[in-house]
Amino acid sequence: MSNNSFNIFSFQGKMKTLHLSWMAFFITFAVWFNFAPLLQSVKETLGLSTEEIKTLLILNVAMTIPARVIIGSLTDKYGPRLVYSALLILCSIPCFTFAFSENFMQAAISRFALGFIGAGFVIGIRLVSEWFPHNELGTAEGIYGGWGNFGSAAAAFSLPTLALLFGGEDGWRYAMVVTGLLSLVFGFIFYANITDTPKGSTYFKPANLTAMEVTSKGDFFLLLIMKIPMYAALALLAWKLSPDNVGMISNTVCYVIYALLFALYLYEWSQVWKVNKSIFTTPVPELHQYKFKQVAVLNVLYFATFGSELAVVSMLPLFFLETFELTPVVAGMVASAYAFMNLVSRPGGGWLSDKFGRKSTLLILTAGLALGYLLMAQIESSWTLWVAVVAAMICSFFVQAGEGAVFATVPLIKRRMTGQIAGMTGAYGNVGAVVYLTVLSFVSYQIFFYVIAATAFLGLLTLSLMTEPKGKIAEVNEDGSVTLIDVGAH
């Protein structure tokens, strides 16, 4: 019995898988965000302008949009054990090249490549869903997401100190190398200790890697529509780097990027058609159908939750610094309260989802998130600082619990495609961050918070289209027999 109970202090069976998964995710986030806390030193050593630094921050998240989709597909095909280990080992290379870069170009290429490590999150979503039953899944995914996410806060706290311990003007380089070494070593530990499924379970693979399967004609068109924002966000980044804005790339390069994105989108069309054209002639048996609108709703909600979290974490120190005239150190500490909530709120959102149903939990948390950002928009210098911090923490609870509730639902839609679905929903979080940060570059903090609240209200509207996952989903074994997987109370 002990092996099957949910005991957070156990390091056996499914709990061992959960602990190793969040540790892997924690390391990917520590590496992905190892740059922000050491910004000043990097800027001075390499002699970079503020524009170049901002560009590095954008490059850091840009690659993650396509990376999450690609890594999601690879996970479904090759299994989480191999893909996570390979990601940790391979991404230590750009981490080392960034640590020893001598100029802006080397730094930019390294940071762009490091965007890939931000996709690690998707792999664990599939792995955890293989090991936990539906009634514990939300809590398990929440712990995985929340504790792993804490890697960015841990990096912010420990790396500046590490850099000082190493000392000298190259201290920051050695601090970054430490995160790269962690990633490299843990890749091997992970590979040695993980199996894709519990003993005797089948790891279901999608029939196709190149595009997501859909099971109705309407879903075919909805999938193509839902692909657009991912390309639009990358086009938005190109525009942000063009002469109209920061002027890092020439107009010619900008137009080449637009053309490439458009060509890629057309290629996606062809792949989606290739994989799904049969549904226009032969209907999919009901047993094997799933509703793509479920995925679309979760995409919109993750855009508002994780998208706003990534954006707010980037701007909150500056917001507190300017509003309350704090020192940078104090502003950083105060703003980190927002990220700290992850340890509790994301598992909390998953747990609530397990207890009270997926849809009702999402409704309550999304409404709370909208109200939370309306509250944040009211903060001004006449407020007492601690009241403003409490407001930020209340808001962040709803944001992160909402993320937990979204990923409590993702693995219940279609098991063999969990990586692909998690990849798309996860990418929408990054799309949200790009959109919100672009909005922020044109408007005041108040309007920025109002915009996020408005998208959350939009999320509430789309939620009315979602149906609570219940009953079973069917997956076909290699010998043609069908396995039914429980996804919720009937």
Side-chain angles (χ1 to χ4, degrees):
M1 176 61 203
S2 60
N3 219 0
N4 292 326
S5 62
F6 196 102
N7 173 9
I8 205 72
F9 300 107
S10 158
F11 208 78
Q12 299 293 316
K14 63 184 179 186
M15 299 314 289
K16 176 182 174 182
T17 302
L18 177 59
H19 287 308
L20 287 171
S21 300
W22 75 254
M23 287 172 194
F25 179 31
F26 181 95
I27 291 169
T28 63
F29 257 50
V31 173
W32 193 23
F33 289 106
N34 65 11
F35 174 43
L38 302 170
L39 264 179
Q40 215 42 49
S41 319
V42 177
K43 192 176 172 183
E44 285 161 18
T45 313
L46 302 183
L48 304 178
S49 68
T50 305
E51 284 308 341
E52 288 176 323
I53 285 287
K54 280 187 178 161
T55 304
L56 289 177
L57 282 170
I58 289 178
L59 284 174
N60 202 32
V61 292
M63 202 46 208
T64 311
I65 297 174
R68 284 190 161 180
V69 176
I70 296 163
I71 294 289
S73 292
L74 291 174
T75 302
D76 284 343
K77 174 92 171 149
Y78 297 107
R81 175 192 182 208
L82 182 66
V83 179
Y84 229 148
S85 308
L87 186 77
L88 286 162
I89 292 163
L90 291 173
C91 282
S92 65
I93 300 166
C95 182
F96 296 141
T97 56
F98 184 81
F100 294 110
S101 52
E102 293 297 329
N103 54 43
F104 173 68
M105 210 55 207
Q106 292 170 355
I109 292 167
S110 304
R111 257 356 290 182
F112 187 64
L114 266 176
F116 245 87
I117 205 164
F121 166 66
V122 173
I123 309 170
I125 291 293
R126 171 87 202 236
L127 181 60
V128 171
S129 76
E130 293 289 339
W131 280 81
F132 287 83
H134 71 88
N135 57 328
E136 296 175 350
L137 189 60
T139 313
E141 297 283 17
I143 289 169
Y144 166 69
W147 294 9
N149 222 320
F150 198 67
S152 56
F157 267 79
S158 57
L159 291 180
T161 317
L162 256 182
L164 285 175
L165 285 176
F166 283 116
E169 57 186 49
D170 282 341
W172 67 270
R173 296 186 190 271
Y174 301 120
M176 282 197 181
V177 166
V178 169
T179 60
L181 284 172
L182 262 179
S183 186
L184 181 65
V185 173
F186 199 78
F188 291 103
I189 294 173
F190 193 83
Y191 191 77
N193 284 287
I194 286 287
T195 52
D196 288 334
T197 58
K199 211 177 169 132
S201 296
T202 312
Y203 188 80
F204 296 104
K205 299 178 179 183
N208 302 285
L209 260 197
T210 48
M212 224 186 241
E213 300 162 46
V214 288
T215 53
S216 76
K217 293 172 195 166
D219 286 354
F220 175 84
F221 295 106
L222 183 57
L223 173 61
L224 292 174
I225 293 167
M226 292 307 286
K227 291 269 181 200
I228 296 171
M230 292 150 80
Y231 287 95
L234 292 169
L236 191 61
L237 282 173
W239 174 74
K240 197 95 187 76
L241 300 177
S242 74
D244 300 334
N245 282 283
V246 301
M248 182 205 156
I249 56 176
S250 66
N251 271 326
T252 321
V253 175
C254 188
Y255 293 133
V256 168
I257 294 173
Y258 290 159
L260 271 173
L261 288 171
F262 187 67
L264 267 175
Y265 181 63
L266 291 179
Y267 173 71
E268 280 243 45
W269 262 87
S270 71
Q271 292 303 314
V272 171
W273 171 250
K274 214 163 87 184
V275 169
N276 293 303
K277 59 181 179 221
S278 63
I279 59 172
F280 286 92
T281 47
T282 38
V284 176
E286 197 171 319
L287 181 66
H288 295 296
Q289 285 182 15
Y290 81 99
K291 297 185 177 71
F292 181 75
K293 70 173 186 190
Q294 304 278 72
V295 182
V297 171
L298 294 171
N299 290 349
V300 173
L301 293 176
Y302 209 61
F303 179 102
T305 52
F306 189 63
S308 71
E309 181 180 352
L310 272 184
V312 171
V313 166
S314 316
M315 57 69 75
L316 213 53
L318 197 62
F319 171 69
F320 276 122
L321 184 133
E322 291 177 8
T323 310
F324 298 102
E325 294 173 354
L326 308 172
T327 63
V329 173
V330 174
M333 296 296 270
V334 168
S336 71
Y338 189 93
F340 248 101
M341 293 292 286
N342 255 320
L343 289 173
V344 196
S345 37
R346 204 163 172 157
W351 179 81
L352 288 168
S353 189
D354 284 344
K355 280 272 176 276
F356 302 108
R358 313 297 174 196
K359 187 172 179 176
S360 46
T361 303
L362 281 168
L363 275 168
I364 293 162
L365 294 174
T366 309
L369 175 151
L371 297 172
Y373 280 114
L374 288 178
L375 179 66
M376 296 276 288
Q378 312 311 315
I379 296 177
E380 45 182 51
S381 54
S382 61
W383 283 40
T384 320
L385 178 62
W386 71 264
V387 178
V389 174
V390 170
M393 287 178 82
I394 291 170
C395 181
S396 83
F397 169 78
F398 284 106
V399 171
Q400 294 156 358
E403 296 160 10
V406 167
F407 273 96
T409 317
V410 163
L412 302 176
I413 296 171
K414 199 74 183 130
R415 173 61 58 87
R416 69 171 178 274
M417 291 163 52
T418 297
Q420 286 176 308
I421 295 169
M424 189 175 196
T425 301
Y428 258 81
N430 287 69
V431 172
V434 170
V435 171
Y436 292 138
L437 286 172
T438 307
V439 167
L440 181 62
S441 60
F442 296 108
V443 301
S444 68
Y445 291 128
Q446 267 61 37
I447 293 175
F448 167 74
F449 288 130
Y450 280 130
V451 168
I452 300 177
T455 52
F457 280 117
L458 246 170
L460 273 179
L461 290 176
T462 56
L463 251 172
S464 59
L465 303 171
M466 191 178 129
T467 44
E468 179 77 23
K470 57 176 186 281
K472 299 178 185 307
I473 41 177
E475 290 297 0
V476 183
N477 296 311
E478 280 180 6
D479 61 8
S481 63
V482 172
T483 299
L484 293 174
I485 301 162
D486 243 328
V487 295
H490 310 301

